[in-house]
Amino acid sequence: MDEQFEVLIIGAGPAGISAAIALAKAGVEVVVLERGEYPGAKNVYGGILFTHQLEKLVADQMEDAPFERAVTRRRFGALADDREVALDLKVGSWREKPYNHTVTALRGRFDRWFAEQAEAAGAQVFSGFMVSDLIVEDGRVVGVKVQPGDEEMRAQVVISAEGAQAFLARKVGLMQPQLPQRHMITNVKEVIGMPQEKIEDRFLCEPGEGVAMEYFGEPVKGYFGMGFVYTNKDSISIGLGLTVHDLIQSKQTLNDFLEHFKSLPTIRKLIEGGESMEYAAHMIPEYGYNHLPKMSMPGLMLVGDTAGLVNGSVYHEGTNLATGSGLLAAETILEAKEKGMDFGTGEALAPYRQKLEATFVLKDMKKFRRMPDFFNKYPHILRDYPTHVTKWIADYFTIDETPKEDVEKGILKSIKKDIGMWKFATEMLRIGRAVR
């Protein structure tokens, strides 16, 4: 292995590999270092992969990608006790390519395949190498130290796609030194095996089609977070996420929350008879736009989760922001190289943040910039409202001899008693402002 490269990338997830493919296709010498046994071995996520950025990189290979199912139906709901209120979306065009650019995938399979596309483009991908430190000289990152052996590898630019913990980025001061507990989501996922036919029958979908379900309220016992159920080919991914702060405050374990979620009536029937195949936990950065780190310094760029690029709104997008940031990091380097610049200087890398701001990556995060702080400031909204709202709606549609006018009056009385009319109106306005 040579010790001097043009670009060195830490991490073989979607962000790092996207940058590697774009750079390698342009003839740049690029090396990717992955600490796992193979790409994807240490990567975990719920299961949705957004593909519109992938198509820019591997359009000709998309048919061979190891996707699980096309997501042709999405369900967003609130659970409380034995009640469920949900918005169920089924759109005919989502059943046709490109399937709303939304598929389910298992990272152990997808990341390995994606890394193979980078190698086919000319990148070198090495697994089993953990980057222990960055080499900084005169305020510029000029390489990394690698375990085992503490070997030094140097490059004109290092791209950090190390993941949510971002240890190296913290060491060089691109973000605050301590993990922000209210803006870090701890996530747990279990993969439950189930025959394809049973999945399609139980979730009412055609062969090759799948469902993504996301629930608030009772799944995370009213804390800031959500539970999810995603269908794979012959398995179901089920899990949940909540803030590190709330997990500590709850004095419970992630497994306690997951078992509670699985026991809820709506969920229990979906996974009944399945066989547990895999269990894993990981971190997701939901800093929000207002708390993003610096994206670069001389010789170093941050992409994907390392840069906190997660849209924590109802969209819950991450993989497309990761892939998009990798593409823009590569574009920044290539433009500087074409101009004959030393593309590791601060001046050469500065346009990266501007590029992020000009695309959906940061435009969407900016739009929803108030949400993380809002729900951390008013945690009772996610704790109390699912219980109240599902009860009000259940009361409204309960059929008995009570006149409908009396039913409506009863619901208004409940709002006054449970929350208060003025407080209810005020908080509805606050929610509206937070999601605008």
Side-chain angles (χ1 to χ4, degrees):
M1 191 189 305
D2 293 331
E3 295 183 350
Q4 179 71 43
F5 305 95
E6 287 187 291
V7 178
L8 195 152
I9 299 173
I10 306 168
I17 292 299
S18 295
I21 292 175
L23 290 166
K25 284 185 174 181
V28 174
E29 182 188 32
V30 57
V31 167
V32 181
L33 299 177
E34 165 57 39
R35 67 188 177 94
E37 182 182 351
Y38 56 85
K42 293 186 176 295
N43 295 103
V44 181
Y45 74 159
I48 287 186
L49 190 71
F50 301 102
T51 62
H52 56 90
Q53 296 296 293
L54 287 177
E55 291 165 3
K56 297 179 180 181
L57 289 165
V58 291
D60 295 339
Q61 289 79 41
M62 290 286 281
E63 291 292 332
D64 301 322
F67 301 140
E68 294 293 307
R69 290 177 181 267
V71 177
T72 59
R73 176 177 158 224
R74 299 202 68 177
R75 188 175 184 86
F76 303 92
L79 297 179
D81 300 324
D82 62 347
R83 303 183 299 276
E84 173 188 1
V85 173
L87 172 65
D88 202 321
L89 297 173
K90 294 180 71 176
V91 180
S93 61
W94 292 0
R95 303 180 66 183
E96 303 170 0
K97 292 181 181 179
Y99 309 113
N100 194 34
H101 302 286
T102 310
V103 298
T104 55
L106 296 171
R107 287 284 294 272
R109 298 175 188 173
F110 174 78
D111 282 16
R112 181 178 274 185
W113 173 86
F114 201 30
E116 289 172 356
Q117 309 315 303
E119 291 178 312
Q124 300 178 72
V125 181
F126 297 101
S127 299
F129 288 85
M130 186 183 77
V131 175
S132 58
D133 207 351
L134 297 169
I135 303 170
V136 183
E137 295 177 355
D138 298 323
R140 174 173 172 171
V141 174
V142 295
V144 302
K145 292 183 179 180
V146 181
Q147 299 291 339
D150 215 26
E151 178 183 357
E152 290 192 1
M153 300 175 65
R154 293 179 173 255
Q156 286 183 258
V157 177
V158 174
I159 297 177
S160 179
E162 58 179 306
Q165 300 280 11
F167 294 115
L168 301 173
R170 293 177 195 282
K171 275 190 172 184
V172 293
L174 289 186
M175 57 182 65
Q176 61 189 68
Q178 299 297 320
L179 289 173
Q181 291 184 349
R182 288 188 180 275
H183 292 280
M184 292 298 294
I185 303 296
T186 180
N187 191 286
V188 62
K189 182 190 81 168
E190 183 176 359
V191 178
I192 297 175
M194 189 174 292
Q196 294 184 30
E197 298 79 9
K198 183 173 285 189
I199 290 173
E200 288 152 9
D201 178 64
R202 193 165 289 183
F203 288 85
L204 305 177
C205 54
E206 297 296 322
E209 297 181 359
V211 181
M213 298 178 167
E214 297 172 356
Y215 290 104
F216 303 91
E218 188 66 21
V220 287
K221 303 183 182 181
Y223 288 105
F224 181 21
M226 70 164 193
F228 58 81
V229 179
Y230 303 137
T231 56
N232 305 314
K233 282 182 181 177
D234 52 9
S235 66
I236 297 168
S237 292
I238 180 169
L240 54 85
L242 68 161
T243 68
V244 173
H245 173 270
D246 286 347
L247 180 64
I248 294 171
Q249 291 294 311
S250 74
K251 297 181 171 27
Q252 299 177 63
T253 67
L254 278 175
N255 189 62
D256 293 335
F257 279 92
L258 181 60
E259 290 304 313
H260 173 71
F261 180 38
K262 289 162 59 179
S263 73
L264 298 177
T266 296
I267 306 303
R268 187 177 66 245
K269 291 295 184 181
L270 295 176
I271 62 175
E272 194 172 53
E275 178 184 358
S276 182
M277 299 170 58
E278 179 185 322
Y279 187 96
H282 71 131
M283 303 286 282
I284 300 174
E286 286 198 3
Y287 304 149
Y289 180 87
N290 293 337
H291 304 283
L292 289 174
K294 290 180 63 177
M295 295 296 174
S296 67
M297 63 178 285
L300 178 67
M301 309 174 80
L302 308 184
V303 294
D305 280 4
T306 311
L309 298 177
V310 174
N311 182 348
S313 69
V314 68
Y315 292 98
H316 287 107
E317 295 175 338
T319 54
N320 53 341
L321 275 66
T323 305
S325 65
L327 280 166
L328 293 173
E331 183 179 292
T332 303
I333 292 170
L334 293 174
E335 287 179 357
K337 188 176 181 182
E338 288 171 5
K339 294 175 183 176
M341 299 173 66
D342 175 354
F343 53 83
T345 63
E347 180 186 1
L349 301 184
Y352 173 53
R353 173 69 189 234
Q354 299 164 16
K355 290 177 180 294
L356 291 170
E357 294 279 4
T359 67
F360 77 98
V361 176
L362 287 190
K363 281 187 175 181
D364 286 349
M365 289 192 67
K366 188 173 183 179
K367 173 177 171 56
F368 297 107
R369 64 191 179 277
R370 302 180 186 91
M371 286 190 66
D373 291 332
F374 175 80
F375 286 113
N376 280 313
K377 185 176 181 180
Y378 303 104
H380 69 280
I381 288 177
L382 291 175
R383 182 185 64 240
D384 300 336
Y385 273 71
T387 299
H388 295 322
V389 172
T390 56
K391 183 179 182 304
W392 299 335
I393 293 176
D395 288 347
Y396 189 81
F397 287 101
T398 295
I399 303 301
D400 57 22
E401 295 183 357
T402 306
K404 300 298 184 285
E405 184 177 353
D406 291 345
V407 171
E408 293 170 358
K409 289 178 180 178
I411 292 172
L412 287 174
K413 286 181 181 178
S414 293
I415 294 175
K416 292 176 183 178
K417 177 185 175 183
D418 297 336
I419 298 175
M421 292 301 294
W422 175 252
K423 184 178 180 182
F424 178 72
T426 301
E427 291 183 338
M428 290 300 101
L429 285 172
R430 286 174 177 163
I431 292 171
R433 291 188 187 118
V435 301
R436 275 195 316 203

